[in-house]
Amino acid sequence: MDEGPYAIVIGMMGAGKTRVGREMASMLGLPFADADIEIEKRIGCTISEFFASDGEPAFRDVERDLIDDFLGSFGGVFALGGGAPMTPAVQDSLRGYVDGGGKLVYLMADPAEAMERANRGGGRPMLDGDANARWKALYDVRHPVYAELANVVVRTHGMTPQMAAKRMIDMTNERTVNVTGAGIEPYAVEIGEGMLGQLPNVLGDKPVRVALIHTQSVRRHSDRARTILRKAGYDVSDIVIPDAEQGKTIDVADGIWQRLGDEGFTRSDAVVGLGGGACTDLAGFVAATWMRGVRYVNCPTSLLAMVDASTGGKTGINTPQGKNLVGSFYTPAGVLADLRTLATLPNDIFVEGLGEVAKSGFIHDPEILAILERHAGELRDFDGADFLGTPLEDTVAELIERTVRVKAYHVSNDLREAGLREFLNYGHTLGHAIEKLEHFRWRHGNAVAVGTVFAAELANLTGHLDRDVVEYHRELLSSLGLPVSWDNGSFDDVVALMHKDKKARGNTLRFVVLDSIGHPVHLDNPPMDAVEEAFERIRRP
């Protein structure tokens, strides 16, 4: 955000907005302002005295004018009084601030702690009388408004002011991509450090039971998610599934359905998928099919899952005949891409995710390709132990955000893959065949990388794409440490699997190719000799 506060803090009386907001500003080296203190300077008396002499409506007018002034001129952390967001004009101003990229933080304290602090502080005309009863009544009215306005929610129960301030900094540094469109219940993809802490806010207060579906390999992160969920009051069922594609089978799904039935999961309960793309695909499929659909949240823990499987509403399982042939379109309540999980990734698992990132650059956003070029060496040599807090973290966060925006664009305009969304499958027709022929020993991002080179070669052979763009595919992907060739299957086997591709129509082979970078097109039934020649070209390094 170019102008206005770095962050605005709202919350109930006693939530600690002033103390935590000041700590946050100090950590960031920014100025801090408290609206109530600034109002008292402006009116020349205490707020209690002004309430008594002029009444609440007059106070709210002064408060509204001061907030508008600060929204346009103050660049630090700005804490508002508890009642400020209840004024319609202030609500409009805060929505404009958020729409412009601002961070509106709802500081949610434990009610007992907040009431005790509010009573101890005194000088609060809104709590005259039975202070606790008044606080609870105000909370019932204000909480839904705070939750609707804020784009960052920080729960402070059990935290020191310093811990809460650090949490606010982490949360305000996040990137958000909103996914909307026909047939889509709007949801957000939130990217940043500490995003798992937002699980209770995305799940809401309706679910009683939550099925936490994850793989053994992400136990460190699932332990953290389980603690967060249980602390928020959910009854958590911990469900461990096999790693990678071995977890995406009907047998695994059936075992989970039986578990949900035995444990009394209802339509108002929820599913959380935490892991790589195969895990989130399976978790989404279970959520879509249990009682015809329950709420679910995706928590991707790999780069590939963050940029691909977790967003878009595709859920599914594999069959012996192919990948993702059984599934449904079912959008999540939210996606939480916690960058801390990338710090535990081995280098090869991180690098394969760059295959999907590059694909999005080829089909829609050339700036992605420029970023990959500038940082190829750093990305290729990724070391999770030295990732967080470095300039590379911001680079990766931008790549994730841009790639998710590409996917959101295609999904928002074509949820059920009738046409436009098929462009996201650039490189996938051969990629999926490679995965199947390799019995899923090849990772998806690596197979897609080879598949994009094949698609570029085919486009060149059919007169769609210049040779230099084909070579650019090879050079960029190689510089990132991704494969650009494959030689472990026959052309006949590959073509047989291509006919089972989801884009195929009857006996018509259908490919996604480029006629220039950023401009994909459909290619139906190209000459078979061109397909075979393109295949021969990717068999050579």
Side-chain angles (χ1 to χ4, degrees):
M1 182 155 180
D2 295 331
E3 296 181 351
Y6 174 87
I8 296 177
V9 188
I10 62 175
M12 285 296 294
M13 293 171 285
K17 300 184 295 294
T18 300
R19 175 71 185 277
V20 176
R22 184 173 280 118
E23 287 283 354
M24 179 187 187
S26 176
M27 289 178 180
L28 292 168
L30 295 173
F32 172 77
D34 181 291
D36 286 349
I37 294 173
E38 298 301 322
I39 288 170
E40 289 185 341
K41 292 178 183 177
R42 184 168 290 192
I43 61 180
C45 61
T46 68
I47 290 174
S48 294
E49 291 169 343
F50 193 84
F51 257 70
S53 62
D54 293 72
E56 184 179 357
F59 170 77
R60 297 301 176 196
D61 287 344
V62 174
E63 181 180 57
R64 179 201 62 219
D65 292 343
L66 181 133
I67 290 171
D68 282 345
D69 290 345
F70 271 68
L71 284 177
S73 62
F74 183 68
V77 179
F78 186 33
L80 304 189
M86 305 307 295
T87 303
V90 172
Q91 291 176 14
D92 290 342
S93 296
L94 293 178
R95 288 190 183 98
Y97 168 75
V98 169
D99 290 343
K103 297 296 183 179
L104 183 60
V105 182
Y106 175 14
L107 200 62
M108 186 184 294
D110 175 71
E113 293 176 0
M115 281 188 283
E116 193 276 330
R117 283 196 295 264
N119 290 334
R120 187 172 66 240
R124 301 179 186 272
M126 297 300 293
L127 295 184
D128 287 347
D130 185 336
N132 284 353
R134 287 282 295 153
W135 192 98
K136 291 176 182 176
L138 287 170
Y139 175 82
D140 289 342
V141 174
R142 292 178 177 179
H143 168 69
V145 176
Y146 295 161
E148 186 270 327
L149 289 172
N151 58 354
V152 177
V153 179
V154 176
R155 298 170 184 259
T156 65
H157 182 53
M159 292 186 181
T160 65
Q162 293 77 16
M163 292 166 61
K166 178 62 169 63
R167 179 75 175 134
M168 282 171 56
I169 292 171
D170 288 344
M171 298 298 292
T172 53
N173 282 336
E174 75 180 54
R175 298 165 181 260
T176 302
V177 179
N178 294 308
V179 183
T180 60
I184 298 175
E185 186 72 24
Y187 65 95
V189 180
E190 299 179 54
I191 306 154
E193 285 194 46
M195 287 300 100
L196 285 181
Q198 290 285 31
L199 263 172
N201 304 319
V202 180
L203 285 168
D205 55 10
K206 288 184 180 180
V208 173
R209 285 164 288 273
V210 174
L212 177 60
I213 301 174
H214 63 93
T215 57
Q216 184 67 39
S217 60
V218 297
R219 175 68 73 177
R220 172 178 170 182
H221 308 306
S222 64
D223 286 348
R224 182 164 155 246
R226 189 185 315 108
T227 299
I228 290 167
L229 291 168
R230 286 179 174 162
K231 190 173 181 180
Y234 300 105
D235 182 2
V236 181
S237 296
D238 194 67
I239 300 175
V240 183
I241 65 171
D243 280 332
E245 300 298 328
Q246 288 71 35
K248 281 180 60 176
T249 69
I250 190 65
D251 290 338
V252 173
D254 182 58
I256 297 174
W257 290 324
Q258 292 188 44
R259 177 96 177 260
L260 299 183
D262 290 343
E263 297 183 12
F265 270 69
T266 69
R267 198 168 192 175
S268 62
D269 293 322
V271 169
V272 171
L274 189 149
C279 177
T280 56
D281 277 355
L282 183 280
F285 180 68
V286 168
T289 50
W290 183 252
M291 295 199 171
R292 298 187 178 90
V294 297
R295 191 172 185 85
Y296 86 107
V297 179
N298 273 335
C299 299
T301 60
S302 69
L303 177 61
L304 180 71
M306 290 179 184
V307 300
D308 183 27
S310 64
T311 303
K314 274 189 180 180
T315 74
I317 56 175
N318 302 331
T319 69
Q321 290 72 35
K323 187 174 178 181
N324 296 328
L325 294 180
V326 176
S328 65
F329 293 96
Y330 190 68
T331 53
V335 177
L336 301 174
D338 192 331
L339 296 180
R340 291 179 186 172
T341 64
L342 298 183
T344 61
L345 284 186
N347 172 270
D348 60 328
I349 306 301
F350 175 84
V351 168
E352 69 131 343
L354 297 174
E356 280 284 351
V357 174
K359 176 213 74 179
S360 295
F362 288 134
I363 67 169
H364 192 76
D365 183 1
E367 180 59 24
I368 289 175
L369 304 179
I371 295 170
L372 291 174
E373 282 188 68
R374 289 196 299 270
H375 299 279
E378 303 160 68
L379 294 164
R380 184 184 62 246
D381 298 334
F382 173 86
D383 182 352
D386 299 322
F387 171 62
L388 297 176
T390 68
L392 183 61
E393 180 181 0
D394 193 56
T395 298
V396 171
E398 182 177 0
L399 286 170
I400 294 171
E401 180 184 5
R402 283 183 172 277
T403 306
V404 170
R405 288 194 184 281
V406 171
K407 187 152 193 177
Y409 166 77
H410 289 83
V411 169
S412 297
N413 289 285
D414 180 18
L415 174 64
R416 299 188 178 275
E417 203 168 29
L420 180 68
R421 183 171 179 164
E422 287 186 337
F423 293 148
L424 291 170
N425 288 320
Y426 184 57
H428 286 57
T429 303
L430 178 64
H432 282 163
I434 291 173
E435 289 180 272
K436 182 69 173 65
L437 291 169
E438 291 284 357
H439 305 287
F440 299 110
R441 290 187 296 266
W442 260 56
R443 294 198 166 272
H444 178 72
N446 292 340
V448 167
V450 175
T452 63
V453 176
F454 166 80
E457 293 283 8
L458 181 58
N460 175 246
L461 288 163
T462 54
H464 289 79
L465 202 61
D466 292 339
R467 186 71 216 165
D468 61 342
V469 182
V470 181
E471 293 306 319
Y472 178 64
H473 277 65
R474 290 180 175 274
E475 291 165 6
L476 177 63
L477 295 169
S478 295
S479 73
L480 295 167
L482 290 160
V484 294
S485 62
W486 176 77
D487 186 14
N488 196 30
S490 73
F491 178 66
D492 289 342
D493 288 341
V494 166
V495 170
L497 287 170
M498 285 178 173
H499 275 289
K500 295 178 180 178
D501 183 77
K502 295 188 297 298
K503 294 185 300 304
R505 301 291 187 267
N507 292 322
T508 300
L509 276 180
R510 194 177 211 205
F511 298 90
V512 174
V513 299
L514 303 180
D515 62 16
S516 63
I517 287 179
H519 192 245
V521 294
H522 286 112
L523 178 61
D524 292 344
N525 262 356
M528 194 53 65
D529 59 346
V531 178
E532 185 168 9
E533 174 59 22
F535 179 68
E536 288 301 319
R537 290 182 180 183
I538 63 95
R539 298 180 77 170
R540 301 188 294 269

